[in-house]
Each structure stands twice: as structure tokens, then as C-alpha cells.
Amino acid sequence: MSRKSKVKKKPSAKKWIWTSVIAVFAIILILVGLYTIDIVNGLKGMNKADGESIFKNAPKPAEEVGPPKWEGTERVNVLLLGGDSRGLSKNEVPRSDSMLVASVDPVTKKAQLLSVLRDTYVSIPGHGKDRINAALALGGPDLAMKTVSDLLGVPVQYYVYVDFKGFIALIDAIGGIDFEVEKNMRYTSKADKHEYDINLKKGMQHLDGNAALQYVRFRHDAMSDFARSERQREFLKAVADKMLSTWSIIKLPDILKEVNPYIETNMTLDDMWKLAGVGYDSKFVASEQIPPMNMISDMKVGGASVLAVRDEDKLKEYVQELFAKADEPASNTDAETVGADGGDGSNASKDSDGGTAGGRR
């Protein structure tokens, strides 16, 4: 055998390149698979089984109040419930500390955030009239969705519930939020053993979970819940922006793991994927208070202050007008939306000394 035939051929540079590419691609596929599995597992845990639900002991509504099905092409409305479980026993149903509706049109890719004033005096199916935030404790999320749906005149298909600890966990999991605190905020409460005291200074700062909860809960000033609802909408928009950042998307499995124990929803995994696709492509175009200032009046019920809706039909028309306006082509005047009082878009939360409808605490 000749010497030439004994010499082994060296792999060509091209072959080494392709081998490396295939190996890297295989690793990427494996990582994406593991990443997707982690996300799926994190999302699955948010739709709690009946025995695990925090609302398992909620009274059953007297009538069928289940949410309508979302087909994926019409406007979808999600009720965001901020729960207040302070001072409750293990099996007691929490009350809602805040109520917001995230509304998204999958066709126009435009989203709106409506904060529902929790002292709004409404009819709760099967329970007569009461503050709207009582619906959650009276019949769980289904009754809360039905009550908000009746008030706004729009279907509410889904809910997402999170309590104080869950909110703190979410903000910490995404690394906090850089946010402008518009004024000094201070409030103490012996009833909570000072666990939820509020002490924030005015100015741009980095808010961790505890500080963020203080900010969105504060309502101990002249504008009370009116200013607080606006602060909540603005802060949630900042959270949404942070969640859509590349860093948060990469960290999504870890984020879901941290917040999973505190969040509950009626969305199936399929619903979540569809909504995620719609939400990622959508843009916030409006942020409003419901009812607006010019549609409410103070009244006393059992010695307590509540907010009466002057004309429920006009309120429903107002909501439809908000949606229609959001779907109009963008113009230079659309950058700022109409204010919560139906006026010129002035920011109530910036005016700590303004007037109030009752100054509720």
C-alpha cells in the first residue's frame, strides 16, 4: 500500500462550519423547548382547580352569571381584581381593593385600561344594591365580572385576581419600576400592625414591590380614590411596558414561577396564548376612570358614603364612545386622552389639593 493511501483526510473547513451550526441550532431548540415548557407550566398553575381556588368557599350566585366565550376576533375585556385579604380567616372570601378592566380590540390592536371606582353603588345580581367591590365577596369572580359587565354594558370574558403579596412578587420579579412619585405620601395603620404603612417621597425613583404597593394603594388625600385610580392605571401601563421588554421576556419563566402562587384566573392555557399574541401586538391608547366625575354624585347609605351613578344608560353610551374613539385613526390630538372627569384631560392625581366628591377614606 502506498504511503499516499495511508494518510487520513482532514475534514474540510466547510464541514466543520456546518457541524458547528447544526450543534448550536440543536442546543437552541433544546433550550427553547425547555423555556416553553417552563412557561406552559407557569401559566397552567394560574387556572386553579376548584379545590385550590381562593374562591372555593364563595357563595354560589343565585342565577347563572358565567362569562361569555371569547371567539378571538371580537373585543375582549379582562377584569383585573386587586384583592384585599387582610384580617380574613383561612376560608374567608377576599374583597376587592381595586377593579380595572383591560379592554383590547384584536382587529385594531388598540387597548384601553378602565378603572372602576370601588365605591360605585350598583345592582349586584341576587343581592340588591351595594358597592361594586362587594360583588367579589358575595359571589366570587363570576359575580364580579357580571356586575361590572352590567355597569359598563359590555361583555367581560375573563378575570385575573392578585392579592397584595402577589403584586409585590410581580414587581420584584421584573426588577422593580422606575417611576415618578408626584408627591410625598404617608399613611400609617395600627390595624395592619404597620405591615402596609405608606411612606414615599416625591420624585423619580426606583420602586421595588413594597414601594410600588404603597404607591398604588395611597388614597389618603383630598382626591381619595379618584386620584388613586388614575395612579393605578399609569403604574400598570409602566408595568406592561417593562413586561414587554426583551429582558422580561427572557426572564418570563422565572417571573411566572414567582407570581404563580398568588394569581388566579379563569383563562385556559389556550386563552392565555391567544391573549398573549393579541396583547403583544397591541398599543395602549386610553386610560379612563369609570364612572367619570360628571356622571356620579355622593349619597349616603346606612351612614356610609357611596357613589351613585346619575344615569346608567348614559354611562353605557359613554363606554361605547370611548371604544369608538380609540378605534379612530390616530391624529396629533389623540396623544392625550380625555380626562377621567370628561373634561380636558387634566391629571387629577397631580392636584393633591383639589376638590373631592365626599373625600372617602
Side-chain angles (χ1 to χ4, degrees):
M1 185 177 291
S2 66
R3 182 176 178 180
K4 182 176 181 181
S5 62
K6 292 182 180 179
V7 178
K8 294 182 179 181
K9 286 187 177 181
K10 293 183 179 180
S12 66
K14 183 182 289 187
K15 184 176 180 180
W16 275 112
I17 291 172
W18 278 111
T19 301
S20 301
V21 169
I22 292 171
V24 170
F25 187 65
I27 292 171
I28 290 173
L29 286 177
I30 292 171
L31 291 176
V32 168
L34 293 173
Y35 178 84
T36 303
I37 290 171
D38 283 345
I39 291 177
V40 169
N41 289 336
L43 292 174
K44 275 183 178 178
M46 294 181 185
N47 191 322
K48 304 288 193 290
D50 290 342
E52 298 175 351
S53 172
I54 194 173
F55 303 106
K56 61 180 179 292
N57 294 313
K60 299 298 181 185
E63 58 185 85
E64 179 60 42
V65 295
K69 182 176 176 58
W70 181 52
E71 300 297 340
T73 56
E74 72 277 20
R75 179 179 288 275
V76 59
N77 300 297
V78 182
L79 178 60
L80 309 177
L81 295 163
D84 185 357
S85 56
R86 292 172 297 168
L88 301 184
S89 62
K90 182 178 179 181
N91 295 320
E92 200 170 354
V93 181
R95 53 195 178 274
S96 54
D97 187 63
S98 58
M99 307 176 78
L100 299 97
V101 175
S103 183
V104 185
D105 188 327
V107 177
T108 62
K109 308 294 186 186
K110 293 181 179 179
Q112 291 157 292
L113 195 58
L114 312 176
S115 54
V116 181
L117 294 173
R118 67 179 192 172
D119 288 335
T120 307
Y121 198 59
V122 299
S123 294
I124 299 177
H127 296 275
K129 302 206 73 170
D130 204 335
R131 288 187 177 92
I132 196 166
N133 74 327
L136 183 65
L138 291 172
D142 281 353
L143 187 59
M145 286 189 288
K146 173 62 176 173
T147 305
V148 171
S149 175
D150 289 348
L151 176 68
L152 304 184
V154 299
V156 178
Q157 296 94 337
Y158 302 111
Y159 78 89
V160 176
Y161 170 87
V162 61
D163 64 11
F164 288 177
K165 291 181 179 178
F167 183 82
I168 291 172
L170 172 62
I171 302 306
D172 285 340
I174 64 176
I177 297 288
D178 292 327
F179 202 82
E180 176 97 30
V181 176
E182 68 272 14
K183 62 184 176 183
N184 293 334
M185 298 178 180
R186 184 167 176 78
Y187 175 74
T188 61
S189 174
K190 291 182 180 179
D192 296 324
K193 298 180 180 179
H194 300 288
E195 182 179 1
Y196 294 107
D197 285 358
I198 298 171
N199 187 14
L200 296 175
K201 300 297 183 182
K202 178 180 178 180
M204 174 63 72
Q205 54 200 281
H206 185 77
L207 302 179
D208 63 8
N210 277 301
L213 181 65
Q214 293 178 43
Y215 181 77
V216 299
R217 287 190 59 239
F218 184 76
R219 64 188 184 111
H220 303 277
D221 57 17
M223 290 302 291
S224 188
D225 212 34
F226 302 101
R228 185 178 80 150
S229 67
E230 184 168 359
R231 279 193 291 270
Q232 290 174 346
R233 295 194 305 273
E234 293 303 311
F235 189 81
L236 285 179
K237 285 192 288 183
V239 173
D241 288 341
K242 183 82 178 273
M243 287 292 293
L244 291 174
S245 69
T246 303
W247 180 88
S248 291
I249 292 173
I250 293 172
K251 292 274 293 179
L252 188 55
D254 293 332
I255 294 171
L256 292 175
K257 183 179 179 180
E258 291 295 323
V259 303
N260 188 290
Y262 309 104
I263 292 182
E264 187 165 331
T265 182
N266 63 330
M267 298 179 197
T268 65
L269 189 59
D270 185 53
D271 294 330
M272 294 179 196
W273 283 122
K274 287 194 296 184
L275 277 170
V278 172
Y280 187 79
D281 290 335
S282 298
K283 177 184 178 183
F284 271 114
V285 294
S287 171
E288 303 288 344
Q289 169 192 296
I290 300 295
M293 295 285 283
N294 60 358
M295 291 190 182
I296 54 177
S297 60
D298 273 331
M299 67 179 292
K300 293 282 187 179
V301 176
S305 295
V306 297
L307 298 174
V309 180
R310 291 176 177 171
D311 190 319
E312 293 188 3
D313 289 334
K314 285 187 177 180
L315 176 58
K316 292 178 175 66
E317 292 175 5
Y318 174 75
V319 172
Q320 291 301 324
E321 289 170 1
L322 290 178
F323 291 161
K325 181 177 180 181
D327 291 339
E328 293 175 357
S331 67
N332 292 335
T333 58
D334 287 337
E336 296 294 332
T337 58
V338 176
D341 60 355
D344 59 1
S346 58
N347 188 333
S349 68
K350 299 295 191 292
D351 181 8
S352 61
D353 299 319
T356 179
R360 280 158 296 282
R361 293 292 183 267

